[in-house]
Amino acid sequence: MAKKYNHRHLTLSDRVFIEQELLQGTSFKKIGGMLGKDPTTISKEIRRNRISKHNPSGGCRNCKNYSACRLRGYDLRIHCKNNSCRRTCRYCWDKASFSCDDFVPYKCDRPSRPPYVCNGCDLTGRCPLDVRLYSAKRAQQRYEKTLTDSRKGINLTQDELQELNDLISPLILKGQPLSHIFAVHADEIPVSRRTLYNYLDQRVFQARNIDLPRRVRYKKRRNRHRPDTHKKLQVYRNRRTFKDFERYLEAHPGTDVVEMDTVKGSRSSGKCLLTLLFRSCSFMIIILLRRCTQGEVIDAINALTDTLGIRLFRRYFPVILTDNGSEFKNPWDIEKTADGRPRTFVYYCDPYVSNQKGRLEKNHEFIRYVIPKGRSMHRYTQDDINLLASHINSTARDSLNGQTPYDLAQLLLDKRIPALTGIIRIAADDIRLKPALLDHPDCSEEAADE
């Protein structure tokens, strides 16, 4: 059975322990066993962080025979400028003035074999060679410096950075979220998403943080007291509450659910959007309404039923979950066709609990990238809205494992649904989620006046 080792970085305590054990002559295997590390880890740590201390002594002190040598200048084995010198050569201050035939260089192989350092050597302090030592304090300082330096700056060459900028910036300026960019170009981006955000913070790209749709902070929500209106069961909610919805799904597992809501433009009455999202694939149909009324919603559902056919509608719209907006408070006409045939079941979220249809609420953010809150929709046509829906449904999502709602709809829904609702697939790099997507040239002056 393979041995399990601790793969965490060495700490200062670990390094102090290594230094102490080296003084005792302990082997790498025993040190590693006591620290829960592989012996090669201990070996690499010592070789990487050993320091050299230069020994200024030289000449005779580097000879193996130094301690027993008594040769003088007049000896034939000594080649000295002063042949009559009677002083013992090893004590001579002018080491460069002579050479010796008996010189045998002192060698030590300790630095080239385990333990690779002079810690614990008996000759420490008397060795004439350069000394190599392992110091826990110095090793920790070097480790911390390496750890800090590795996280500084930009770990790309100028050419690589420019290539990344040419890829990322045009897509961000089109309004594409980073989740979509990474899903499509993961193999071309050499850094992680977190690193890319750091580069944007450092302003190394043409695109800036302001160009990212979600880098702005939301204002803090006020804690308002909400009246307990949910305790007063209104007629339209009878047997259509969220608890009833959960009971229905328990009794009919695997049922497709469609979330429904509206997106309004300006505060004044006018055009708005009816959104229908399939939970199974996050594919969203958007229908432009002339007014945000019950009649308009019912007419839109009837028109959608006529477009798809009653059989296709019943199959893929078996259950609709919506909120308590006034435009949805006529469930009887939504559930049945104009001639009284049943087509779906309508259920309502609890009041002020929008996260019960969170997928649709999340998808509304993509609409707001193109149609900001407060902007009137009177200029838009259904063709414009179909174009917007095509771009949104062609945007890859993290929640879909990098897939697009359109691609999943081709697998999970009838292929006629996107075609009949006017939604097409947009190429990944052509996706634009900016107001410019729906800006008409002839309205530029009006937009400037607003």
Side-chain angles (χ1 to χ4, degrees):
M1 184 176 176
K3 225 176 191 181
K4 290 186 178 180
Y5 294 108
N6 173 14
H7 296 290
R8 294 181 179 178
H9 290 195
L10 291 170
T11 63
L12 178 59
S13 300
D14 295 335
R15 291 184 168 92
V16 170
F17 180 80
I18 292 173
E19 184 179 359
Q20 292 173 345
E21 292 302 314
L22 287 174
L23 294 174
Q24 304 298 324
T26 309
S27 67
F28 292 166
K29 186 176 182 180
K30 287 185 178 180
I31 296 175
M34 287 183 278
L35 292 178
K37 303 288 184 182
D38 191 274
T40 56
T41 301
I42 307 301
S43 175
K44 290 176 183 177
E45 165 68 16
I46 293 171
R47 284 183 289 171
R48 182 172 54 244
N49 295 305
R50 60 184 176 179
I51 56 175
S52 297
K53 285 189 176 181
H54 178 64
N55 194 332
S57 63
C60 295
R61 285 190 63 85
N62 289 347
C63 179
K64 255 188 175 183
N65 303 320
Y66 176 78
S67 57
C69 181
R70 295 293 182 270
L71 295 178
R72 302 174 185 272
Y74 56 80
D75 196 289
L76 295 178
R77 288 170 294 178
I78 298 294
H79 305 284
C80 184
K81 294 178 181 178
N82 188 0
N83 294 333
S84 60
C85 179
R86 293 183 171 275
R87 190 175 182 182
T88 304
C89 293
R90 67 174 187 171
Y91 297 132
C92 182
W93 61 272
D94 189 8
K95 304 291 184 186
S97 63
F98 67 91
S99 61
C100 178
D101 292 340
D102 287 352
F103 181 81
V104 180
Y106 188 91
K107 293 182 180 179
C108 178
D109 62 348
R110 192 179 178 96
S112 59
R113 62 175 177 81
Y116 303 111
V117 287
C118 302
N119 299 59
C121 179
D122 297 334
L123 296 177
T124 302
R126 297 182 288 113
C127 181
L129 303 178
D130 291 347
V131 180
R132 294 194 176 185
L133 298 172
Y134 176 80
S135 169
K137 183 179 179 181
R138 293 283 187 89
Q140 182 70 14
Q141 290 173 348
R142 187 176 294 179
Y143 160 76
E144 291 174 354
K145 186 177 186 301
T146 303
L147 199 64
T148 304
D149 292 345
S150 65
R151 288 162 170 79
K152 286 183 179 178
I154 298 172
N155 193 24
L156 293 174
T157 65
Q158 192 64 33
D159 293 339
E160 291 173 336
L161 189 62
Q162 184 59 43
E163 185 178 346
L164 184 59
N165 177 56
D166 294 340
L167 171 65
I168 295 294
S169 293
L171 302 178
I172 292 177
L173 293 174
K174 287 181 180 179
Q176 296 186 16
L178 284 186
S179 57
H180 171 77
I181 295 173
F182 264 85
V184 176
H185 298 281
D187 297 336
E188 303 172 56
I189 301 176
V191 296
S192 67
R193 194 180 307 185
R194 178 67 262 172
T195 301
L196 202 58
Y197 276 119
N198 290 338
Y199 288 173
L200 286 165
D201 289 338
Q202 296 173 37
R203 311 178 92 180
V204 299
F205 294 144
Q206 179 187 352
R208 296 287 187 261
N209 273 330
I210 194 66
D211 299 315
L212 294 174
R214 289 187 60 82
R215 287 294 271 184
V216 293
R217 292 183 178 273
Y218 293 109
K219 62 183 180 182
K220 189 176 181 180
R221 294 181 181 271
R222 288 181 290 177
N223 187 16
R224 294 177 177 175
H225 174 69
R226 299 290 187 180
D228 293 334
T229 54
H230 64 282
K231 293 182 179 179
K232 301 176 183 178
L233 185 62
Q234 301 183 29
V235 176
Y236 74 94
R237 288 171 54 85
N238 186 28
R239 295 185 180 179
R240 295 186 179 90
T241 64
F242 191 75
K243 287 185 178 179
D244 296 323
F245 167 73
E246 291 178 321
R247 292 192 195 101
Y248 182 89
L249 291 187
E250 287 179 5
H252 303 83
T255 302
D256 289 329
V257 177
V258 175
E259 298 177 1
M260 182 171 68
D261 201 356
T262 53
V263 176
K264 298 177 182 178
S266 58
R267 293 187 178 181
S268 60
S269 60
K271 291 184 178 180
C272 67
L273 304 178
L274 176 68
T275 56
L276 296 153
L277 179 134
F278 297 89
R279 272 190 177 181
S280 60
C281 57
S282 292
F283 183 81
M284 182 168 64
I285 298 172
I286 309 178
I287 303 173
L288 183 65
L289 305 181
R290 291 175 297 175
R291 290 177 298 278
C292 191
T293 62
Q294 291 181 13
E296 285 291 322
V297 170
I298 294 168
D299 289 344
I301 299 296
N302 289 336
L304 184 61
T305 304
D306 294 339
T307 301
L308 300 179
I310 185 66
R311 294 180 63 182
L312 196 62
F313 190 93
R314 283 174 176 169
R315 180 178 178 183
Y316 290 101
F317 293 80
V319 173
I320 295 178
L321 178 66
T322 186
D323 58 22
N324 297 271
S326 60
E327 63 271 24
F328 301 126
K329 291 185 178 180
N330 185 358
W332 305 278
D333 288 342
I334 296 176
E335 290 180 339
K336 295 182 180 181
T337 61
D339 56 2
R341 288 181 294 169
R343 57 185 169 191
T344 187
F345 292 103
V346 177
Y347 292 94
Y348 294 90
C349 298
D350 294 330
Y352 309 112
V353 190
S354 59
N355 63 328
Q356 289 176 348
K357 53 179 180 65
R359 283 182 181 269
L360 183 57
E361 297 293 342
K362 176 68 176 176
N363 250 36
H364 284 176
E365 290 185 5
F366 294 106
I367 297 177
R368 289 306 185 190
Y369 295 161
V370 181
I371 307 176
K373 209 170 195 178
R375 173 173 289 191
S376 174
M377 300 184 187
H378 74 276
R379 301 189 187 94
Y380 303 139
T381 64
Q382 185 60 49
D383 290 339
D384 295 328
I385 301 306
N386 289 343
L387 177 64
L388 170 61
S390 298
H391 280 256
I392 292 175
N393 286 310
S394 299
T395 302
R397 315 287 170 82
D398 286 337
S399 59
L400 302 179
N401 198 24
Q403 300 295 316
T404 67
Y406 187 92
D407 292 338
L408 290 182
Q410 295 291 312
L411 298 173
L412 302 177
L413 305 179
D414 193 293
K415 293 184 178 180
R416 291 174 290 175
I417 292 178
L420 293 174
T421 53
I423 298 173
I424 61 175
R425 189 180 190 280
I426 305 296
D429 290 345
D430 294 334
I431 291 173
R432 182 182 292 272
L433 294 176
K434 289 281 188 179
L437 176 66
L438 301 182
D439 281 350
H440 298 287
D442 56 339
C443 298
S444 58
E445 294 182 4
E446 297 180 28
D449 292 340
E450 289 183 1

